[in-house]
């Protein structure tokens, strides 16, 4: 039997809100950006004291390669090929470092003290040869100076050294071109403007090449 009808006193007080359905938001999956094709070839050879090597798919090998690419990024238009060798030498020590320390004695006199640090371990080192389109080579190698006790320290030293060496090589090339034009009786101010224009053209060409490669990679994916 149905129950007794509800009186007004039994009704809920105030308006009753119906639960509102939340809209379903569809998240569109985005494809990862295609890898950029380098305008030069890069070879990385690795050697450890236990006879092992860094495999192609290891994170350490990829990190070292990315550090090299980033270090050469600004001057990549000059580069034809890069040969890099990373090796471990557990018995290698870097040279001793001499530090000058100035001390003041009790009677107010200045005393100069030379301190020589012990030979530090330098287990990891790089040799990198950057082959340029001008058929010149820029070489990074100096174990006594650049060897480091860890892989990360050796890689950072190598990246900074490569960046500096390539910048110096570019400046030497520009100075050589300016001198040749000056000896030929050309206006020096004009040669400076021409050098700036050449650099700008190289940078623009590099950006255009990157854009074309990214566009081509997208087109290839869409056609699959």
């Amino acid at each position: 039997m149905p129950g007794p009808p509800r009186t007004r006193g039994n009704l809920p007080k105030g308006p009753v809100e119906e639960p509102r359905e939340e809209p379903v938001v569809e998240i569109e999956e985005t494809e990862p950006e295609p890898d950029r094709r380098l305008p030069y070839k890069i070879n990385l050879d690795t050697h450890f004291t236990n006879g092992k090597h860094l495999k192609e798919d290891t994170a350490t090998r990829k990190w070292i390669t990315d550090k090299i690419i980033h270090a050469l990024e600004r001057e990549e238009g000059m580069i034809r090929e890069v040969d890099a060798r990373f090796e471990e030498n557990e018995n290698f020590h870097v040279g001793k470092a001499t530090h000058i320390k100035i001390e003041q004695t009790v009677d107010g006199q200045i005393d100069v003290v030379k301190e020589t640090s012990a030979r530090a371990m330098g287990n990891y080192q790089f040799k990198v040869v950057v082959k340029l389109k001008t058929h010149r080579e820029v070489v990074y190698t100096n174990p006594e100076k650049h060897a480091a006790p860890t892989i990360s320290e050796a890689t950072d030293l190598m990246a900074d050294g490569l960046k500096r060496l390539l910048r110096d090589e570019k400046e030497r090339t520009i100075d050589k071109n300016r001198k040749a034009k000056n000896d030929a009786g050309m206006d020096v101010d004009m040669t400076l403007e021409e050098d700036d224009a050449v650099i700008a053209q190289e940078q623009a060409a590099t950006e255009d090449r990157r854009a074309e490669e990214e566009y081509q990679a997208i087109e290839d994916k869409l056609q699959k």
Side-chain angles (χ1 to χ4, degrees):
M1 295 179 60
R6 301 178 65 182
T7 62
R8 182 174 298 180
N10 294 330
L11 293 176
K13 297 181 179 179
V16 178
E17 295 185 0
E18 294 292 335
R20 189 178 296 177
E21 293 185 2
E22 295 291 336
V24 178
V25 179
E26 295 183 0
I27 301 176
E28 183 179 355
E29 295 184 0
T30 57
E31 295 185 0
E33 295 184 1
D35 293 334
R36 185 176 69 86
R37 186 179 304 169
L38 287 174
Y40 57 86
K41 183 180 179 182
I42 181 169
N43 309 300
L44 176 59
D45 193 18
T46 61
H47 293 272
F48 288 87
T49 53
N50 57 7
K52 294 185 178 181
H53 308 271
L54 290 175
K55 296 182 180 180
E56 292 290 338
D57 57 348
T58 58
T60 303
R61 185 185 182 93
K62 185 179 184 306
W63 179 73
I64 292 174
T65 303
D66 288 343
K67 292 285 284 188
I68 295 174
I69 293 172
H70 181 70
L72 303 177
E73 188 174 20
R74 292 180 64 87
E75 321 299 345
E76 65 179 16
M78 303 167 51
I79 302 171
R80 177 171 51 89
E81 189 173 358
V82 176
D83 291 327
R85 178 183 176 86
F86 166 76
E87 63 180 14
E88 179 189 26
N89 187 343
E90 60 183 7
N91 297 319
F92 187 81
H93 291 74
V94 297
K96 296 180 180 180
T98 301
H99 306 279
I100 304 297
K101 186 178 180 181
I102 299 176
E103 297 179 345
Q104 187 172 7
T105 60
V106 179
D107 57 358
Q109 298 295 319
I110 301 298
D111 191 14
V112 178
V113 180
K114 289 185 178 181
E115 293 183 345
T116 302
S117 61
R119 289 168 61 86
M121 293 294 292
N123 296 3
Y124 303 100
Q125 52 194 267
F126 279 90
K127 178 179 180 180
V128 184
V129 179
V130 182
K131 301 176 182 178
L132 306 179
K133 294 178 180 178
T134 57
H135 301 289
R136 288 176 56 83
E137 291 185 352
V138 175
V139 181
Y140 172 89
T141 176
N142 188 343
E144 283 287 338
K145 184 178 180 180
H146 298 143
T150 64
I151 296 176
S152 60
E153 289 180 70
T155 304
D156 288 338
L157 283 172
M158 175 270 298
D160 293 339
L162 279 181
K163 190 181 299 184
R164 183 179 61 256
L165 289 172
L166 264 293
R167 183 176 62 247
D168 294 344
E169 176 65 22
K170 186 172 185 177
E171 291 176 355
R172 277 194 297 269
T173 301
I174 291 174
D175 291 340
K176 183 179 179 181
N177 292 338
R178 289 174 182 170
K179 186 178 185 304
K181 293 174 182 178
N182 190 29
D183 292 342
M186 300 179 65
D187 189 351
V188 177
D189 292 336
M190 286 298 295
T191 61
L192 292 175
E193 293 177 1
E194 289 173 359
D195 289 333
D196 292 339
V198 169
I199 295 173
Q201 289 175 0
E202 290 179 354
Q203 293 176 343
T206 300
E207 293 297 329
D208 290 343
R209 183 169 57 251
R210 289 179 183 175
E212 290 176 3
E213 291 171 356
E214 291 175 359
Y215 178 78
Q216 186 61 46
I218 294 173
E219 287 289 324
D220 294 341
K221 283 191 174 183
L222 292 176
Q223 292 176 3
K224 290 181 180 180

